[in-house]
Amino acid sequence: MSSPSHKRIWKVVSLIPQGKVASYGQIADLAGLPGRARMVSKALKCTPEELAIPWHRVLRADGKIAFPVGHEFGLQQQQLLREEGLQVDRLRVNLSACQWQPDLPTLLFALDY
DNA sequence: ACCTTGACATTGG
DNA sequence: GCCAATGCCAAGG
C-alpha cells in the first residue's frame, strides 16, 4: 500500500546522509506533513523491499531507537548506526553533532517543487 | 460508522 | 530520567 504521502516520506528519508540522523517528527515536517510523526513510522513499516532507504537513521525526538529493547530490528538499527560511526548507548544516540540539517534547495528539488 | 492500534511528540509531575 | 496523560491521524478490523 503506497500513498503520495508515503512516497514523499521515503524521498525525504533517502536524503539523510551517512552519519546523520533525523526524528520521525522532523521527517514529517520536511515531507509537508506537520504533526504526523506516526505516519512516518507507518510509511517506513510499508517500505517496499526494492526501495533501499536509510530507515535506521530515523529516531525518536530524544534520540532513542523506537523499537522496544530486545527487538530484532532495534538491535539491527543499533548496529547499523554504530557502523556509521555514531555513538549508541542503550538504544539511544547522542544527538550532539549528528542531527541532519537538510539543504533546502536539494530537498525542494527531491520533492519536485 | 465505531473502535483499536501504532517504528511519535510534548508536557507536566 | 522515567512515567502518564494528551494530541495526533491513517489503517485495518
Side-chain angles (χ1 to χ4, degrees):
Chain A
M1 199 75 103
S2 81
S3 70
S5 297
H6 283 188
K7 289 179 186 169
R8 283 208 304 288
I9 289 169
W10 293 329
K11 277 186 182 175
V12 175
V13 171
S14 71
L15 298 177
I16 309 175
Q18 183 180 187
K20 295 288 181 182
V21 297
S23 72
Y24 294 87
Q26 183 185 359
I27 297 300
D29 290 345
L30 294 173
L33 302 163
R36 275 173 267 183
R38 302 189 92 131
M39 192 167 187
V40 174
S41 57
K42 284 203 171 195
L44 291 182
K45 189 164 51 182
C46 314
T47 306
E49 282 290 333
E50 64 273 17
L51 198 58
I53 61 176
W55 59 271
H56 59 283
R57 295 174 189 148
V58 186
L59 306 166
R60 286 193 173 167
D62 61 3
K64 273 173 71 176
I65 283 175
F67 297 96
V69 289
H71 192 290
E72 112 179 75
F73 281 178
L75 295 172
Q76 182 187 1
Q77 184 170 17
Q78 185 173 229
Q79 181 182 341
L80 288 169
L81 289 169
R82 282 177 172 152
E83 287 172 0
E84 297 190 356
L86 279 76
Q87 179 193 339
V88 191
D89 175 48
R90 280 174 246 183
L91 300 179
R92 192 175 1 148
V93 171
N94 184 348
L95 289 180
S96 60
C98 68
Q99 299 192 74
W100 179 42
Q101 219 47 33
D103 173 64
L104 195 48
T106 302
L107 175 70
L108 296 180
F109 178 74
L111 294 177
D112 304 316
Y113 271 101

